[in-house]
Amino acid sequence: MDVLLLKLTALFYLLATGSFILYVFLIRDSIARLSLAILTVGFLLHSSAIGVHVVQTGYPNITQFREALSFYSWLMVAGFLVIQLKYRLTILGSIIAPLAFMMALGEFAFGPGHQELPVGLQSYWLAIHVSLAFLGNAAFALAFGVSIIYLMQEHRLKQKKMTMLMKRFPSLETLDRLNYVLLVWGFPFMTLGIVTGSIWAGIHWGNYWSWDPRQISSGIVWLFYAVLLHGRTTGLRGRKAAVLTMVGFCVVLGYFLSGGLIFPSRHGGSFD
């Protein structure tokens, strides 16, 4: 049942992607409302799929790489819908919807369906650790999208060529502040994700740090965002902040994909 719901989710994310792209070209409020409605339906289907999975298996669908993609995209869409309530940043959907759709495709591209939960993962630490880590990653994904919009707006302002779409963007100051807010939320979540993961590792493996590839890459990403956030609190803003935020998200994707596909890791594996 959850597989069918996930297929419908992917379909609605695809439809939302097309609708948001249409909005970029036509700039009509009716298309904006339609795009948000389609994405919301996709999100509700996605939520139902996750709920059904938990009921059927007894654990959240976050233990395999394909399941992690699903959870990541779900949090990302949820974050966008929350941002939309306050900032009315519809254009951000043209970035988030395609990302969500590609991740939805990844859910079917990597591995089989349900597998028995490894003994090492049968712990309440699973939901705590993974949820915190992915909340941080989702915030960084949203900050990435906001940074793209900031650079587009800044470029047009410098050229003094404001399109109808650009006139609907928030001010550069508002976009820069939103970027900062997302970093402020994302970094503590990531930090707590790493801390809870280390505590769990100490309980299960007997040592808090084992130089697992995912631990190493997580540490690198944490250091990058620590430096970036420090820069933001000491005056870094505008174009440089936006560019570094985009670089940071690319680093996040790099460690996420490498940990799940390239380098052997206890994450998403046997966890032995």
Side-chain angles (χ1 to χ4, degrees), residues 63 176 203 222 245:
T63 61
D176 186 64
I203 295 172
W222 185 89
T245 300

Side-chain angles (χ1 to χ4, degrees), residues 124-139:
Y124 61 87
W125 284 104
L126 172 65
I128 296 174
H129 163 58
V130 176
S131 295
L132 289 170
F134 274 87
L135 278 169
N137 289 342

Side-chain angles (χ1 to χ4, degrees), residues 92-114:
L92 182 59
S94 65
I95 299 171
I96 298 303
L99 280 175
F101 171 65
M102 287 187 288
M103 289 182 177
L105 287 182
E107 296 166 28
F108 303 105
F110 299 107
H114 308 321

